[in-house]
Amino acid sequence: MEMKKLPRIWQRRLAAVLLPVLVVGLTAFSLPQPADAARGGRLGGGSFAPRALPRSGGSSFGGSSVRGGGFGGGGFGFPFIIPFFGFGGGGLLGMLMLFAVVGLLLNGFRSAMGGAGTMGSANDAMAERDGPVTIAQVQIGLLASARRLQQDLRQLAATADTATPTGLQRLLQDVTLALLRNPEYWVYGNGEVGQVGFPVAEATFNRLSMTERSKLDAETTINVAGQRSRGEAGQHAATSEYIAVTLLVASRRSIRLPKLTTADDLRTALRLLGSIPSGDLLSLEVIWQPDGNEDVLTSTDLVTLYPELQAL
């Protein structure tokens, strides 16, 4: 006896169960395992809530039509990927490719079950309306003698407004300026940028954030979405070798980073990030280690935890 197709409501429920299983199964193995990681700090916030923009005939980006899809009303779509110049082969590329695999599996499953239904069309319209999201990640390895930078980041944790778009944009400017004022300490750098569909942008960004946060032994200085926590800096300075800073940005506007091979390339990348308007800035994460004076990040730790870094 021939099997009948499942009702659409069961298709959606089955998709809702399978999606987290697929994501967890494909991503669990890729979390970095910290060596002797130092304690660190974290700044940021943002929201991926879609805007109530009028629907147009499509969203063009860089001269080509960009369109996202949905799956059975589950809020996740097929993550189209558009790598830019300077897109490296590190964590961000791997993350985007991972979501591409998940999207292919889900779309194949959807086709096998007989279509996505009305809710899928609604998600298509939302993705088409809101367009793609650009995610950029810049990592910098600095000499540990850049103590002033650590002090600046801790001061921003105490004073920055991370609960509003204007405050986040100001924080992004302040962080990039703090880094730009310490070029003599720049040793390593890495920049990656790409696009994902709006329906999976938040999940992609959160996964990248979790990857970077997992490199810390603990988070002692925090100011995220208006929530603050500050640890003690320590009284005795330890002999650290490096400071690592990661900037993770999600934007509605295109970001085209240069390939980071020189200090001038890094300077250009920081200026590009710092100039993103508040209306385009969706989310921001600034993660650094070590945080306190007693924390240490050795050359071995830096190479282990940040393998994408290249000498400037």
Side-chain angles (χ1 to χ4, degrees):
M1 184 176 180
E2 185 178 355
M3 294 286 291
K4 295 183 178 180
K5 290 182 178 177
L6 290 174
R8 285 196 177 114
I9 186 172
W10 285 105
Q11 294 179 26
R12 292 195 292 269
R13 289 177 180 175
L14 188 57
V17 172
L18 286 178
L19 181 61
V21 174
L22 285 169
V23 173
V24 171
L26 286 170
T27 63
F29 69 90
S30 60
L31 278 171
Q33 299 298 318
D36 296 324
R39 295 178 301 172
R42 179 180 174 228
L43 303 171
S47 172
F48 286 85
R51 294 177 177 178
L53 299 176
R55 182 178 178 182
S56 63
S59 174
S60 71
F61 199 90
S64 61
S65 178
V66 177
R67 186 170 182 271
F71 183 77
F76 293 86
F78 178 80
F80 49 86
I81 297 175
I82 306 175
F84 291 155
F85 174 76
F87 202 125
L92 179 55
L93 175 60
M95 183 72 255
L96 297 181
M97 292 304 296
L98 200 69
F99 270 93
V101 172
V102 172
L104 286 170
L105 292 174
L106 290 178
N107 279 354
F109 176 76
R110 178 180 63 182
S111 299
M113 298 306 295
T118 307
M119 292 299 292
S121 300
N123 282 347
D124 285 347
M126 178 180 290
E128 184 178 46
R129 180 192 68 191
D130 287 294
V133 173
T134 304
I135 297 179
Q137 178 177 278
V138 171
Q139 296 175 316
I140 308 171
L142 303 96
L143 295 175
S145 48
R147 291 293 185 182
R148 176 185 169 188
L149 175 62
Q150 287 175 303
Q151 295 169 1
D152 289 343
L153 293 174
R154 290 174 66 85
Q155 181 62 29
L156 287 172
T159 60
D161 172 16
T162 57
T164 66
T166 302
L168 280 179
Q169 200 274 338
R170 175 66 181 271
L171 173 61
L172 179 57
Q173 282 191 343
D174 288 341
V175 170
T176 52
L177 281 172
L179 289 164
L180 285 167
R181 288 169 180 154
N182 290 274
E184 66 272 24
Y185 301 110
W186 299 346
V187 183
Y188 301 102
N190 180 61
E192 301 176 59
V193 62
Q195 288 182 354
V196 294
F198 190 89
V200 296
E202 184 173 10
T204 306
F205 188 91
N206 290 343
R207 175 65 177 78
L208 289 165
S209 172
M210 288 296 294
T211 298
E212 295 307 310
R213 293 174 63 191
S214 70
K215 298 174 182 179
L216 308 180
D217 182 60
E219 294 173 359
T220 51
T221 299
I222 303 170
N223 183 349
V224 177
Q227 302 298 313
R228 293 183 174 90
S229 175
R230 183 165 182 173
E232 295 297 327
Q235 300 299 319
H236 306 287
T239 306
S240 184
E241 297 181 43
Y242 292 100
I243 299 171
V245 181
T246 297
L247 279 76
L248 188 59
V249 175
S251 171
R252 296 178 182 274
R253 179 175 294 189
S254 169
I255 306 171
R256 295 184 179 273
L257 299 180
K259 186 176 181 181
L260 302 190
T261 58
T262 67
D264 285 339
D265 295 331
L266 177 55
R267 187 175 291 107
T268 298
L270 291 173
R271 288 172 176 169
L272 286 171
L273 292 182
S275 65
I276 298 174
S278 60
D280 291 325
L281 184 61
L282 287 170
S283 194
L284 167 67
E285 289 268 357
V286 182
I287 301 168
W288 73 93
Q289 66 167 309
D291 182 34
N293 293 334
E294 295 180 341
D295 295 308
V296 174
L297 184 68
T298 68
S299 58
T300 301
D301 298 333
L302 190 74
V303 171
T304 302
L305 296 172
Y306 303 93
E308 296 88 10
L309 289 175
Q310 302 292 323
L312 296 176

